[in-house]
Amino acid sequence: MEELARLAGITVRTLRFYRERKLIPPPRREGRIAWYDDQHLARLRTITALLERGHTLNGIAELAEAFDHGRDVGELLGMDAPTEETPVRLTPEELADRFAGEVTPENLAAAMDLGYLGTDGEEIVHISRRLLDVSSALVREGIPLAEVLRTGREVRTHTEAVADLFAELILRHAPEEAVHRLRPLARGVVDAELSLAMDRRLHKQSCPSGGTHSIE
């Protein structure tokens, strides 16, 4: 216990408190000896990262219970399963391979906080194959995973507002059940507008002076 506390950067008293609150799983026992392993250390580091992000111990206890009992974070937050996104099941090793060197306790905590990751038994479940593929591709291009997750949080804020706009528009002119049927049209508008916005952004970068160019 003393060695685990030292590696985690906490006191033995704090470790005992976490055990009493069931924030970490019990150790493996052989007679009077209690063995802790890397999973306990990873859990403690994740707890520290979550506390630094402003989470309460009660909230962390709920997350820990969800992981230990195979519930995913979406269920914990009361979110329905996505209707168009395909969840992906991964082993911890497969997740690490996707984001080589970037699967840190801080990044795991951020992904949990966003609801991107959950667990089902010993497997990790990512809520969206498209998000997983895009985020891993960005990391392969050299963008830190922490920045990808931070941007994802900002994008979610804007897309929630866009979703509200379309839902209100549809509900003003169509029955409620039409929302699911018409959502591909809303997505098409967002995709087109984002493409045009990227065009404008790239044009500004290529012509910073804002001037025009003659073609001979």
Side-chain angles (χ1 to χ4, degrees):
M1 183 179 285
E2 291 179 356
E3 182 181 3
L4 177 65
R6 177 179 58 79
L7 291 172
I10 61 176
T11 65
V12 173
R13 182 178 179 182
T14 298
L15 177 55
R16 288 198 178 99
F17 176 71
Y18 288 166
R19 277 188 54 184
E20 293 170 0
R21 293 289 300 272
K22 298 182 179 180
L23 293 173
I24 62 172
R28 177 173 59 86
R29 291 193 173 274
E30 292 182 3
R32 296 176 59 87
I33 302 176
W35 294 98
Y36 293 93
D37 56 26
D38 290 341
Q39 291 184 344
H40 291 93
L41 180 59
R43 174 67 65 85
L44 289 172
R45 287 174 173 169
T46 299
I47 291 171
T48 299
L50 287 168
L51 287 172
E52 291 175 350
R53 292 174 63 85
H55 289 265
T56 66
L57 282 176
N58 286 337
I60 295 173
E62 290 186 13
L63 287 171
E65 182 184 9
F67 268 71
D68 292 339
H69 291 83
R71 295 166 55 207
D72 64 33
V73 177
E75 177 188 351
L76 180 66
L77 298 177
M79 298 165 55
D80 293 330
T83 57
E84 292 186 336
E85 297 303 318
T86 304
V88 183
R89 293 176 177 271
L90 302 159
T91 65
E93 293 76 16
E94 289 171 337
L95 182 67
D97 289 341
R98 284 267 192 163
F99 303 97
E102 296 280 338
V103 183
T104 63
E106 293 78 11
N107 286 337
L108 283 173
M112 289 165 53
D113 192 32
L114 280 165
Y116 285 173
L117 294 182
T119 60
D120 185 5
E122 296 182 356
E123 289 184 312
I124 295 172
V125 181
H126 195 290
I127 198 171
S128 167
R129 178 175 294 280
R130 288 195 293 179
L131 282 175
L132 176 63
D133 290 343
V134 169
S135 57
S136 58
L138 289 170
V139 169
R140 287 196 300 271
E141 292 291 334
I143 301 176
L145 179 57
E147 290 297 307
V148 173
L149 293 170
R150 181 188 62 78
T151 301
R153 183 179 297 278
E154 295 181 8
V155 169
R156 175 174 291 182
T157 299
H158 295 294
T159 51
E160 291 281 359
V162 171
D164 287 342
L165 284 174
F166 276 104
E168 291 172 4
L169 172 67
I170 293 170
L171 291 175
R172 280 201 304 269
H173 302 282
E176 184 174 352
E177 55 268 21
V179 173
H180 293 289
R181 181 169 54 84
L182 297 179
R183 62 185 291 174
L185 302 179
R187 191 174 64 245
V189 172
V190 174
D191 287 345
E193 285 290 353
L194 178 59
S195 179
L196 292 169
M198 291 296 294
D199 288 345
R200 291 191 291 269
R201 177 77 182 197
L202 293 173
H203 179 72
K204 287 181 180 178
Q205 288 182 327
S206 62
C207 304
S209 63
T212 58
H213 299 272
S214 62
I215 301 177
E216 297 181 359

